[in-house]
Amino acid sequence: MNRTGAEADELREVFVLDTTAPGAAPRGFDTFRRGWEAQIGKDLPLVTYSPATIADFRVKLRVTRLRDVVIGDLHAMSAIRTADHPGGDQDLVEVHILRRGAWTVGGLPDRGEHTVSTGQFLLRHFGRQVPFERHAQTRELLLFLPSAMLRPVLGNRTITGPGNSAEMRLLRAHTEMIQRTVTGLGPAGVHAAHRVLIELTKAVAGGGFDDVEPRLAPALVQAAKDLADSGLADAELSPTALARQLNVSVRTLQRAFAKVGESVTAYVRHRRLEEARLALTAPRGRVSVSELAAHWQFADSSHFIRAFKKRYGQTPTEYVRSTTWRDVEGRGRRRSDGKPGPVETGPGP
């Protein structure tokens, strides 16, 4: 993948190759091959597959391109196996992260054949196409990266390990952020996202980093936020707990948040307040202030009320009243404008 200049800086796209639709299996491989060759075959030639694979090729692949990086979310419903001699030379660094199933690769100079199972990853530079096999119902995150910036770090090593290590958490968080935002990025955003992706891959290859660099801060912060969001109601949630899960020091985590203009504690407090605010007007039934304070780990109701008013300019009770009044007033305005108001259903005829 050797694009240069403005073409490389601007390249960002998303596309899907899907042969899992009903009735697609008989021509599934041909459909996939044509799509692959049209979209990325110039930079990443397709390997040669076994006849059994070609006969039953049921795969869904969502591809995100960022300059000279290809990110793939793969769901292989059928087993996939290459031919004994799958192809020729290439020059890529690959990351394989198994979400489900297994991927077996052969021809590794340092370990021969190796199987990557659910929850594990493999990172390596490949100078040629090698034989591999995916089990049926495998789900995998794939990264194909340029070798020039990564091969000096990797050498001829094959890096394997758990997919939930601190470095892999950061790499996955940043990769997912790229997948969500890539089509809206401008040139500066493309450049920054690409640079951080390369640096995080280096961190995986190097087994970690001593302290957070400015360009790695956004990825570390995003990984910490994802963890925090999944445990906002947990009494044990704290900067120390997050740092421990990410395998970094509390100082490193706090410095990363400082570089993006906030603190870990402030983020958690603001997210808890936001969840409490949404609960106050939830249609499924409102809860009391004391219940909200306890659920979202505030010391007591008074502490919660003070924090809520500081954040939103109203106490929880005032917020509920104002929201209710706005809803009623809005319905009245719609009726006065001659537009239909809410429809009330009653007994049928």
Side-chain angles (χ1 to χ4, degrees):
M1 291 186 281
N2 297 309
R3 297 177 185 269
T4 59
E7 182 185 11
D9 287 338
E10 291 292 341
L11 183 59
R12 57 198 185 284
E13 60 184 349
V14 178
F15 58 90
V16 175
L17 302 176
D18 187 1
T19 67
T20 63
R27 60 182 186 280
F29 180 75
D30 287 339
T31 301
F32 186 89
R33 177 179 54 78
R34 286 194 299 269
W36 181 283
E37 290 176 350
Q39 298 286 356
I40 54 178
K42 175 183 175 182
D43 298 325
L44 192 59
L46 197 63
V47 299
T48 303
Y49 290 105
S50 68
T53 297
I54 294 172
D56 180 24
F57 196 80
R58 289 171 288 124
V59 168
K60 185 172 183 178
L61 176 64
R62 184 178 188 271
V63 177
T64 303
R65 296 195 62 165
L66 181 78
R67 298 181 63 183
D68 52 3
V69 171
V70 174
I71 301 167
D73 269 311
L74 173 70
H75 180 194
M77 296 178 66
S78 59
I80 299 176
R81 186 178 183 276
T82 61
D84 292 336
H85 303 286
D89 294 336
Q90 65 178 35
D91 186 18
L92 291 172
V93 169
E94 299 180 17
V95 184
H96 298 259
I97 307 168
L98 271 292
R99 291 169 168 158
R100 190 173 77 185
W103 179 69
T104 300
V105 58
L108 301 178
D110 55 344
R111 62 182 71 191
E113 184 177 275
H114 182 78
T115 297
V116 189
S117 302
T118 301
Q120 298 180 323
F121 78 89
L122 180 144
L123 164 63
R124 178 172 179 84
H125 170 260
F126 288 92
R128 60 185 178 86
Q129 294 177 335
V130 294
F132 65 79
E133 181 176 3
R134 280 187 185 87
H135 294 189
Q137 298 302 330
T138 290
R139 290 182 180 270
E140 183 178 355
L141 176 63
L142 301 161
L143 280 78
F144 299 97
L145 304 124
S147 66
M149 291 177 279
L150 292 165
R151 190 174 183 185
V153 178
L154 274 171
N156 290 320
R157 295 178 301 146
T158 301
I159 310 296
T160 59
N164 64 350
S165 67
E167 296 77 26
M168 283 304 303
R169 281 178 185 265
L170 294 178
L171 180 59
R172 287 167 59 188
H174 185 62
T175 300
E176 290 164 5
M177 188 159 47
I178 290 173
Q179 290 173 310
R180 291 195 300 268
T181 63
V182 66
T183 55
L185 294 176
V190 169
H191 179 71
H194 180 273
R195 183 180 63 186
V196 172
L197 186 63
I198 297 299
E199 292 302 319
L200 287 173
T201 307
K202 288 180 181 178
V204 173
F209 42 83
D210 296 329
D211 207 343
V212 65
E213 299 180 39
R215 55 191 168 185
L216 301 185
L220 177 55
V221 168
Q222 185 62 49
K225 286 181 176 180
D226 290 344
L227 285 174
D229 288 347
S230 66
L232 288 171
D234 187 351
E236 302 301 318
L237 179 61
S238 67
T240 300
L242 291 172
R244 183 170 56 250
Q245 291 183 73
L246 291 167
N247 197 30
V248 298
S249 68
V250 176
R251 175 176 174 273
T252 293
L253 184 61
Q254 289 172 334
R255 286 185 61 189
F257 269 79
K259 291 179 188 301
V260 297
E262 59 185 330
S263 72
V264 186
T265 302
Y267 176 79
V268 171
R269 182 173 63 251
H270 292 164
R271 286 289 293 112
R272 284 172 166 169
L273 285 170
E274 176 65 12
E275 292 297 327
R277 183 186 68 80
L278 295 173
L280 281 170
T281 55
R284 62 180 177 275
R286 295 166 184 165
V287 294
S288 69
V289 169
S290 59
E291 288 173 326
L292 285 174
H295 182 77
W296 297 112
Q297 305 302 323
F298 289 88
D300 51 42
S301 297
S302 297
H303 181 208
F304 170 64
I305 291 169
R306 287 195 300 271
F308 192 95
K309 185 171 184 178
K310 183 177 180 181
R311 179 72 172 167
Y312 298 110
Q314 297 174 304
T315 66
T317 301
E318 290 168 344
Y319 176 79
V320 171
R321 287 174 180 166
S322 66
T323 303
T324 303
W325 173 250
R326 285 196 299 270
D327 289 345
V328 172
E329 189 180 45
R331 288 196 294 270
R333 264 200 309 271
R334 286 194 294 273
R335 287 193 294 270
S336 68
D337 289 341
K339 298 179 181 178
V343 176
E344 296 183 1
T345 59

